[in-house]
């Protein structure tokens, strides 16, 4: 299996700046494709206490675990960027390809390619790259200052034991205070980029996290994870709600009768232990009270993957 190897920050900067000066592109995205906003219209939103210049952004996936892809998201107008879900099991053997997107998109769960320490360094590097890009003036008026503000949203999974483990705790703390990594990466800025060593890089890369749970994660497990993240890790939390929330009959009706995806086959196992809608109605208000009591925000995301039978044998 091919290994995913992050490219160091200094090399990414050299490539991007030279490419823009010579070809008018950054990571192959032409200047004409950069999102510039609309003069006189404010698209900004507040996300967990932070200003995001637009409400747009990618969901967590393999595409949001590398610096160059995060930068491309930003250039394309994304300002709420959900980073790839991390977990304590970070040396997985992933079948390739792990995503099939011919029409309906199918993916392999647990698709974390980087180790936790690599992920931390990559996300810090991406945040620093964007600060250097903004400070450089390279883009001129292509992207006005009113469109500069972005929010990085962490994503963790998949059970309470893994999330409470020392390594995941350390990763979360490292994202909240990345001073050590920032200081280390400053020393790698050489040549034309040396002048950015003293830039006021943000050391809090993120203080908000989206919880991704496996299908079959019961209500009490979700409650334990969210309570831990709110109270012990001092984070704002968004909880992904799986499509199984609706029950198999309703999910099949929507997929087959409403949307026409008759080829998609659901399994009884996917719905057996997963959170039910009635349970969610009890759970969410309790967690919201915990969040408010600790000065944090709780939000919900009603879109996530659905476990289905691999009828194509891909």
């Amino acid at each position: 299996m091919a290994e995913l190897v992050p490219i160091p920050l200094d090399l990414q900067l050299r490539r991007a700046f030279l490419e823009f000066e010579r070809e008018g592109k950054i990571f192959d995205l032409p200047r004409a494709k950069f999102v510039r906003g609309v003069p006189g219209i404010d698209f900004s939103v507040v996300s967990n206490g932070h200003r995001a210049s637009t409400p747009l952004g990618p969901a967590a996936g393999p595409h949001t675990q590398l610096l160059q892809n995060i930068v491309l998201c930003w250039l394309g107008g994304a300002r709420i960027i959900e980073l790839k879900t991390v977990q304590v099991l970070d040396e997985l053997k992933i079948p390739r390809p792990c995503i099939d997107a011919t029409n309906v998109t199918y993916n392999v769960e647990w698709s974390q390619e980087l180790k936790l320490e690599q992920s931390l360094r990559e996300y810090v590097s991406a945040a620093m790259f964007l600060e250097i890009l903004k400070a450089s003036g390279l883009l001129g008026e292509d992207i006005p200052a009113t469109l500069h503000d972005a929010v990085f949203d962490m994503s963790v999974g998949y059970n309470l034991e893994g999330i409470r483990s020392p390594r995941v705790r350390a990763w979360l703390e490292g994202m909240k205070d990345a001073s050590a990594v920032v200081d280390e990466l400053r020393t790698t800025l050489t040549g034309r980029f040396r002048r950015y060593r003293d830039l006021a890089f943000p050391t809090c890369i993120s203080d908000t996290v989206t919880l991704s749970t496996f299908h079959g994660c019961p209500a009490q497990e979700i409650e334990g994870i969210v309570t831990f993240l709110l109270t012990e890790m001092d984070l704002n939390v968004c909880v992904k709600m799986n499509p199984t929330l609706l029950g198999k009959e309703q999910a099949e009706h929507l997929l087959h009768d409403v949307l026409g995806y008759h080829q998609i086959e659901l399994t009884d196992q996917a719905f057996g232990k997963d959170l039910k809608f009635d349970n969610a109605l009890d759970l969410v208000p309790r967690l919201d009270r915990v969040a408010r009591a600790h000065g944090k925000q709780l939000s919900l995301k009603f879109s996530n993957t659905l476990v289905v039978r691999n009828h194509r044998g891909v």
Side-chain angles (χ1 to χ4, degrees), residues 166-231:
R167 288 188 68 218
V168 175
R169 279 178 181 256
W171 185 86
L172 290 167
E173 293 289 2
M175 289 290 286
K176 288 167 57 183
D177 182 5
S179 302
V181 182
V182 169
D183 288 342
E184 179 193 349
L185 289 171
R186 286 182 195 275
T187 65
T188 68
L189 300 175
T190 59
R192 65 182 290 186
F193 302 107
R194 187 183 181 88
R195 62 193 179 107
Y196 299 112
R197 281 190 176 186
D198 296 327
L199 206 60
F201 295 111
T203 54
C204 179
I205 307 303
S206 178
D207 62 2
T208 177
V209 61
T210 292
L211 170 64
S212 183
T213 59
F214 267 139
H215 299 276
C217 189
Q220 62 268 26
E221 180 90 354
I222 295 173
E223 186 164 13
I225 296 170
V226 176
T227 300
F228 166 74
L229 293 171
L230 289 169
T231 61

Side-chain angles (χ1 to χ4, degrees), residues 1 34 88 112-113 123 141 175 232 235 254 269 302:
M1 181 184 78
F34 298 172
V88 70
Q112 179 181 340
E113 282 95 354
Y123 299 152
E141 295 301 315
M175 289 290 286
E232 294 191 44
L235 296 166
L254 290 171
Q269 294 89 336
F302 289 95

Side-chain angles (χ1 to χ4, degrees), residues 13 17 26 51-53 71 74-75 78-79 81 126-152 193 195-196 199-202:
L13 287 165
F17 275 64
I26 293 181
R51 181 184 185 275
S53 297
V71 172
W74 190 87
L75 292 170
R79 294 297 182 270
I81 300 173
M128 292 177 67
F129 185 107
L130 290 176
E131 292 302 312
I132 292 171
L133 187 62
K134 290 183 282 188
S136 70
L138 183 74
L139 302 179
E141 295 301 315
D142 268 4
I143 301 179
T146 54
L147 276 183
H148 281 187
D149 296 331
V151 176
F152 279 19
F193 302 107
R195 62 193 179 107
Y196 299 112
L199 206 60
F201 295 111

